[in-house]
Amino acid sequence: VAEVPQSAVVPARTVDIKVSDFGAESITEGTLVEWNKKVGQPVAKGELLATIETDKVSVEVKAEEGGILKDILAQLDSIVEAGSV
C-alpha cells in the first residue's frame, strides 16, 4: 500500500507496508477508503496510514517503522488484496 523509509542514525532504507490479513480466509480484498498521510510527511512507528474496508470489516494500516512517507502505491477507492504492498 505504501513505502516508508526508515530515518535514524543509520542510512535510510525503504520499508514496504503490506496489506494485512483481513481476518477471514474468505476475505481476500478490500477498498482503500482513506489515506491519513501524504507523500513527504513524517510518520511515527504505529501511526495510522490508511483504512481499508471490506463488506465485513475495516482494517487500519499502520506504519511498521518511523520515517517519511516516500510513495503511495494504491489510490483512494482502489481495490487492494491481502498481502499486497
Side-chain angles (χ1 to χ4, degrees), residues 27-79:
I27 304 173
T28 59
E29 61 185 25
T31 302
L32 181 63
V33 294
E34 181 179 24
W35 273 109
N36 295 83
K37 290 290 184 175
K38 295 179 182 177
V39 171
Q41 288 186 309
V43 176
K45 182 178 180 176
E47 190 170 5
L48 179 62
L49 296 175
T51 304
I52 300 170
E53 290 186 354
T54 73
D55 58 339
K56 296 183 181 186
V57 297
S58 291
V59 176
E60 294 181 339
V61 179
K62 297 183 179 181
E64 296 175 9
E65 300 285 340
I68 305 294
L69 184 62
K70 178 182 172 188
D71 196 11
I72 291 179
L73 304 178
Q75 300 304 312
L76 281 178
D77 298 320
S78 64
I79 302 298

